[in-house]
Amino acid sequence: MWRWECSPGALTSTPGLAAAIEATGSDAAAVGYGIAYPFGVISVVLFVQLVPRILHTDMDKERAQYEAAADVEIRHKHKDLFYCDSMGFFSFACAIVGGMILAKIKIPLPGGASFSLGTSGGPLIAGLLLGHMNSIGRLSVSVPKNVLETMREFGLALFLLGAGTQAGAGFVEILQEQGILLFIYGAIMALVPMFVGFIVAFKVLKLSTFNSLGSICGGMTSTPALGTLIRVTETDDVASAYAATYPIALVMVVLASQFMGIYL
């Protein structure tokens, strides 16, 4: 049982942990999560920094491709829109409220369990929808880039602070009690899908390095790694690949945790 309970931590998925606890009816999953989580975070953060160096990626060329795509999108956006405020806080508030509403929606599953996007997936889906629409009629729902960058860095700092405090509490004691083998299981669960996913994206699907790494961040549901990738690539546009894969990964981790908790 301990081996599969490492998976939410290895994939840094707090909603997955909540689903595992709900499915098993105990806090045992939190032990595996607490041991696997630190390595799950660190491994993806290091991965997105090392891969461009190992592959000798032409960062300027990759950024130019993204900027060209972004220019096409900007030319198709609506003009003469009404802005509630210059800082875009109204749009931000709409995304938060919409996200929390989506987070509370529960979808019943076989066995009496239920699935929800949680506070991670709900706001992400709401942000994706508003970012795609850009406006509702003549009402703008966009947020200035500098505001997004500030809020993202602030939110990432709070996220890491909370995650570090939670994962670090009792980490040594748990590791001593359960043994190093549990940590090794978590490391395998983190490394195997990350390497396999990148190889498939980069070699088989022929995605660019930026898109491949962004997809890995989303597939591993790693928000800290996305922040690192944005700093490494010096462009926010890599977040589009993250946003495309994150919802699917989130849903699959939560469903897998619930099904394994019910049927194993």
Side-chain angles (χ1 to χ4, degrees):
M1 178 176 69
W2 291 107
R3 292 191 292 270
W4 75 260
E5 286 176 343
C6 287
S7 58
L11 298 177
T12 65
S13 177
T14 304
L17 170 64
I21 292 176
E22 181 181 355
T24 58
S26 72
D27 293 330
V31 177
Y33 178 90
I35 290 179
Y37 185 91
F39 184 83
V41 173
I42 295 171
S43 61
V44 189
V45 168
L46 291 177
F47 187 81
V48 299
Q49 295 181 76
L50 293 176
V51 166
R53 298 182 182 181
I54 295 173
L55 297 179
H56 303 290
T57 303
D58 187 339
M59 307 296 275
D60 292 332
K61 181 179 178 180
E62 292 268 354
R63 278 192 294 270
Q65 293 176 347
Y66 267 101
E67 290 171 0
D71 289 340
V72 172
E73 292 179 3
I74 291 173
R75 287 197 295 269
H76 286 85
K77 288 184 177 179
H78 299 291
K79 297 181 180 180
D80 301 324
L81 296 176
F82 172 74
Y83 295 84
C84 288
D85 62 283
S86 60
M87 300 296 289
F89 290 143
F90 171 78
S91 304
F92 220 96
C94 289
I96 293 174
V97 172
M100 296 311 296
I101 292 174
L102 291 175
K104 296 299 182 182
I105 297 176
K106 292 189 176 182
I107 301 173
L109 297 174
S114 62
F115 162 76
S116 64
L117 292 173
T119 54
S120 296
L124 176 63
I125 298 299
L128 285 172
L129 292 174
L130 291 179
H132 172 70
M133 293 187 299
N134 188 53
S135 64
I136 301 176
R138 293 192 59 190
L139 176 63
S140 173
V141 290
S142 63
V143 181
K145 183 178 179 180
N146 61 327
V147 177
L148 282 175
E149 291 175 348
T150 302
M151 297 299 289
R152 182 183 64 232
E153 293 300 320
F154 179 65
L156 182 58
L158 292 179
F159 174 83
L160 290 174
L161 178 63
T165 302
Q166 180 182 9
F171 174 78
V172 175
E173 292 79 4
I174 293 173
L175 192 60
Q176 290 174 341
E177 179 185 348
Q178 301 300 326
I180 193 66
L181 192 60
L182 196 60
F183 177 82
I184 294 175
Y185 285 139
I188 293 173
M189 292 177 184
L191 294 174
V192 171
M194 184 166 58
F195 278 99
V196 172
F198 181 79
I199 291 172
V200 170
F202 190 69
K203 294 294 186 180
V204 179
L205 301 179
K206 305 298 182 182
L207 297 181
S208 66
T209 306
F210 283 12
N211 274 331
S212 298
L213 292 176
S215 299
I216 290 298
C217 291
M220 298 294 289
T221 65
S222 180
T223 306
L226 173 64
T228 301
L229 182 61
I230 289 174
R231 286 191 290 272
V232 169
T233 59
E234 298 180 4
T235 174
D236 311 8
D237 295 324
V238 291
S240 59
Y242 169 89
T245 55
Y246 181 95
I248 299 173
L250 177 68
V251 170
M252 295 306 295
V253 171
V254 171
L255 289 178
S257 297
Q258 291 179 333
F259 280 125
M260 286 188 290
I262 294 171
Y263 299 114
L264 290 185

